[in-house]
Amino acid sequence: MTADLPELAEGSFYYLDLSGGRFRSTIHAQGAWNAHEQHMAPASGLMADSLERHQPRSDMRMARISYEILGLIPGGEFRIEATILRPGKTIELLQAELVAGGRTAIRATAWRMVTSDTAPVAAIEDSPIPGPEDCKPYDGAAVWPGGFIRSLEMRVAEGHRPGAGKVWLRTGHPLTDKADSGDLARLTGLVDTANGIAARVPPGRDSYAFPNLDLQIHMYRRPEGEWLGLDNAVTFGRDGIGLTSTVLHDLQGPFGRAEQILTLRRT
């Protein structure tokens, strides 16, 4: 696919905040499949930030964010519109839309739930993974093109192979030039990379493309810090559909799961 390159903002951040819900992407938000598009990862982080800021309540947190990717995400200028679809005392459903080039490119819904003390019965079945200090540097840019992948520091655990792997990643770039986003938005803005950290086949010509159509994130704990760990498995079906499944970690341990449905296409 070819298209004119968009007008990008400049700076060591992913987005320039133009105020009023409007933003302009930088080269650091550039996607891997096409040079004129945004990567889903930072865009999803910015949408999570917008959802978190929308009529916030101290007694609630977001527990699930579901993103539908409705088409190519253009680079350059766009806006995000957040609303509450279902208000409530203990449970609310929020929505955010990323609108670019006159159409909605991503639609996200999020369940925001009231919190309470359930420490006496707290339990986690997901297994921990080796920390970033026990992993080796990993050059994701050697596998994937695009400004977003180049913006990441990545480390890989032993046993990494096509189809499954354990990878830690972080970024030194804030989501926006204001640099005022929280840990949830920062780490959510890295999750979509899960579909590329242990690709079953190499991307590029004479292979397959496998973009995801959605991103579903469930969080049984609020994530913290700057490192995101991905314990990842990729399944390709026989009829052109695949699935990337990931257990999400921060330095405290597992905090949730992510799923991405894939469309498999010959290149």
Side-chain angles (χ1 to χ4, degrees), residues 3 9 71 78 102 104 125 162 177 180 234 249:
F78 61 93
T104 299
E125 296 292 341
D177 57 307
D180 61 352
V234 183
H249 301 251

Side-chain angles (χ1 to χ4, degrees), residues 12-34:
S12 297
F13 44 82
Y14 292 107
Y15 299 102
L16 178 66
D17 190 334
L18 302 175
S19 76
R22 296 181 303 114
F23 302 89
R24 185 180 296 276
S25 64
T26 68
I27 188 63
H28 306 300
Q30 184 186 46
W33 296 111
N34 297 288

Side-chain angles (χ1 to χ4, degrees), residues 175-249:
L175 271 176
T176 74
D177 57 307
K178 293 184 176 180
D180 61 352
S181 302
D183 290 351
L184 184 145
R186 180 189 305 111
L187 294 181
T188 299
L190 299 172
V191 172
D192 189 72
T193 56
N195 189 37
I197 64 165
R200 296 207 68 87
V201 295
R205 296 193 177 195
D206 301 320
S207 182
Y208 284 84
F210 41 93
N212 52 301
L213 306 185
D214 72 345
L215 172 62
Q216 315 289 329
I217 303 175
H218 293 79
M219 297 171 284
Y220 45 75
R221 175 174 64 79
R222 184 180 181 86
E224 302 175 357
E226 60 178 2
W227 281 104
L228 176 70
L230 305 171
D231 187 356
N232 181 262
V234 183
T235 301
F236 283 179
R238 294 178 176 272
D239 60 354
I241 298 172
L243 179 69
T244 295
S245 301
T246 308
V247 180
L248 306 173
H249 301 251

Side-chain angles (χ1 to χ4, degrees), residues 40 43-51 62 64-70 80-85 93-98 104-111 188 215-216:
M40 174 62 182
S44 61
L46 190 63
M47 295 180 78
D49 194 41
S50 297
L51 287 165
M62 286 190 292
R64 190 224 66 183
I65 310 177
S66 177
Y67 299 90
E68 309 298 338
I69 305 171
L70 304 179
I80 294 178
E81 303 169 350
T83 58
I84 295 181
L85 296 179
L93 182 63
L94 288 70
Q95 176 179 279
E97 292 188 337
L98 188 153
T104 299
I106 311 170
R107 180 175 293 120
T109 56
W111 284 113
T188 299
L215 172 62
Q216 315 289 329

